[in-house]
Amino acid sequence: MKQLGLALLSVSLCLQLLPMALQCCTAQITETFVDQDQRATQMQYLPGAPRAPMVHVLPVDKTRRDASTAPAGGSGVRIVANPDEYYQSEDDTTVYIFATELRLDARLWRSDRNLVINAVSVEVIEDIVLEPEEGTGTGRNLTIHAVNITLPENRAITFSARGRPGQTAREPAADGVASGAAGAAGAMGGNGGRGGVITVITASVLGPGRLLLNADGGAGGQGQKGGNGRAGVLGVTPSDPDACANGRSVVGAPGGPGGDAGAGGAGGAGGAGGKVFVHLAPSASAAGEHTKVDISVLGGVGGEGGGAGNVGVGGHGGPGRPTVKYDAGNRFDHHWKCRAPLGPDGPTGSPGKSRAAGPSGAPGRNGSGSVGEESWREIAQLTHPKMICFAQHAADRAYKEMNIPYAYNVYLYLYSLGSAFNGSASWAGASSSSSSS
């Protein structure tokens, strides 16, 4: 009787989902995606292939038009998949994956792209860390919609779409070049990038592990240290040819002033936090599975200000002229010269002026996020039509294989989505009606 009820439910479901199913696309036999760096993702669809996609690293000469510039070890993958079980496409910004049962192999997605996953079951085996956008430093977008998400037993899993930390200068600003020249002021630290957007839609989070969704803003970069002032120029001995003959003491010229210190650069501002939304179907919320998910959308901390450079010391005063005359010649050729004691040295120059350290950067504002139950109508509005195709296929296959609990679970999920499009039943209503059948 229960199997008959499932069969009737499947027929009813297909009729309700027909408008959505008509939007599903048929997979091509072979597709190749090549990005601006000539890295290739080659998709090969074989109807008889296993459920799980098979991933192979491509040789270098097949992933770049110019093999001489390719990095060692290859830069692309070939994915062999069953079109009824798996479909993948990508563009310059995003990788799209549709699947029945998906074990998230890191080779299937790319850290320098947004990632959108629509699957019936997703088994997460490692962290997903997406690199911020190249130019702006803004965090990427990550979307996972799955009936079931399974976490590993021995560790917590992190999905990261954090903003990039602001740039910090590795070296201090330039010192003064000429004697007495001021050091250069330090540059401001780079601003942190804004956090990305993470969206998770699911009816069940399985496994004892926890899931951390992190879309924090990037920390501001540290301000650059100011350059050092150069020491002042040395004083010179004055030119006074009559001083010695007249027995007059001549003081050395004063040293030059030292160069001013370079001011420290200001710290960069922290990036704003991103957005994280976890949409749980009523069944997941009722089971308390929202407690397995933690979110973080903190603004990045401001960068520390750079320290000021050192002041240049004043130049040493020049030596005075000798004051005692003597005859360096003979009685036939008198040749007068001067000798010690010398006149006093000139005064030392004043040191350069000190400068302040740079101020710390402002922290970024926190982002927004939520973890909570959504209505089936809201879940349906977030559902991609192509996911319906894969979910229907997974449920039908499981039913034929006599995996009744799995099929029943997916059928109920689809039934609730279809009912929501027609403005009626909920998960609880679907469960009671199916049980009575």
Side-chain angles (χ1 to χ4, degrees):
M1 182 62 69
K2 188 173 184 179
Q3 294 181 4
L4 177 60
L6 283 173
L8 294 175
L9 177 61
S10 177
V11 173
S12 173
L13 176 65
C14 289
L15 293 176
Q16 292 188 53
L17 297 177
L18 182 59
M20 298 174 66
L22 290 176
Q23 301 180 48
C24 299
C25 302
T26 57
Q28 300 180 18
I29 299 300
T30 302
E31 290 182 311
T32 300
F33 307 97
V34 182
D35 67 8
Q36 63 268 30
D37 297 322
Q38 302 304 309
R39 291 177 296 184
T41 300
Q42 188 178 95
M43 298 299 306
Q44 184 175 2
Y45 296 103
L46 298 176
R51 295 179 190 174
M54 297 177 290
V55 185
H56 309 279
V57 176
L58 289 173
V60 173
D61 59 351
K62 293 185 179 180
T63 62
R64 287 186 177 244
R65 297 189 180 97
D66 183 3
S68 63
T69 62
S75 60
V77 294
R78 177 190 292 115
I79 301 175
V80 181
N82 187 324
D84 293 328
E85 309 287 346
Y86 185 88
Y87 177 78
Q88 178 171 331
S89 65
E90 65 180 74
D91 53 33
D92 287 341
T93 62
T94 309
V95 174
Y96 305 90
I97 296 176
F98 297 88
T100 52
E101 289 96 22
L102 176 63
R103 192 171 190 264
L104 265 182
D105 187 331
R107 295 173 296 177
L108 298 175
W109 52 274
R110 293 177 45 177
S111 62
D112 61 348
R113 296 287 187 274
N114 301 324
L115 179 60
V116 178
I117 296 174
N118 290 271
V120 181
S121 299
V122 174
E123 180 185 359
V124 185
I125 59 176
E126 58 188 343
D127 296 339
I128 297 180
V129 180
L130 302 182
E131 300 172 4
E133 295 179 3
E134 184 65 28
T136 64
T138 301
R140 297 281 177 181
N141 296 337
L142 170 62
T143 300
I144 296 182
H145 185 175
V147 180
N148 304 311
I149 297 177
T150 303
L151 304 177
E153 296 183 1
N154 58 348
R155 56 165 297 188
I157 288 294
T158 298
F159 293 169
S160 176
R162 301 183 63 178
R164 177 178 290 114
Q167 187 175 6
T168 296
R170 296 183 179 181
E171 301 292 336
D175 295 339
V177 178
S179 296
M188 177 180 175
N191 294 331
R194 177 171 51 84
V197 180
I198 301 178
T199 305
V200 175
I201 309 163
T202 187
S204 179
V205 182
L206 305 175
R210 298 193 63 81
L211 180 61
L212 172 61
L213 310 179
N214 190 325
D216 292 346
Q222 183 175 352
Q224 186 181 29
K225 184 180 183 299
N228 299 323
R230 184 69 67 178
V233 65
L234 295 176
V236 297
T237 300
S239 175
D240 188 352
D242 297 329
C244 177
N246 298 327
R248 190 169 61 244
S249 175
V250 179
V251 179
D260 297 342
K275 299 179 180 180
V276 174
F277 301 107
V278 180
H279 306 282
L280 296 174
S283 60
S285 181
E289 295 184 4
H290 59 282
T291 61
K292 297 180 180 180
V293 181
D294 299 312
I295 67 174
S296 181
V297 287
L298 299 176
V301 297
E304 295 181 1
N310 298 321
V311 298
V313 297
H316 194 277
R321 292 190 62 83
T323 58
V324 177
K325 181 173 66 173
Y326 72 99
D327 188 357
N330 51 52
R331 59 180 180 173
F332 303 106
D333 182 18
H334 298 286
H335 184 60
W336 302 99
K337 290 186 177 182
C338 296
R339 65 183 178 186
L342 303 178
D345 291 346
T348 300
S350 60
K353 297 178 181 179
S354 60
R355 293 288 184 263
S360 297
R365 67 182 185 277
N366 293 338
S368 59
S370 63
V371 180
E373 176 183 325
E374 305 287 354
S375 69
W376 281 111
R377 177 173 291 276
E378 292 168 322
I379 296 294
Q381 291 173 347
L382 297 171
T383 300
H384 194 286
K386 192 177 292 186
M387 180 181 174
I388 301 298
C389 300
F390 284 92
Q392 182 71 53
H393 173 76
D396 292 343
R397 171 172 45 74
Y399 181 76
K400 293 175 184 178
E401 296 172 350
M402 298 305 293
N403 187 355
I404 302 302
Y406 182 89
Y408 187 73
N409 181 53
V410 179
Y411 278 139
L412 284 178
Y413 189 86
L414 292 174
Y415 180 81
S416 298
L417 290 179
S419 298
F421 271 101
N422 291 333
S424 57
S426 65
W427 181 280
S431 299
S432 59
S433 62
S434 299
S435 300
S436 62
S437 301

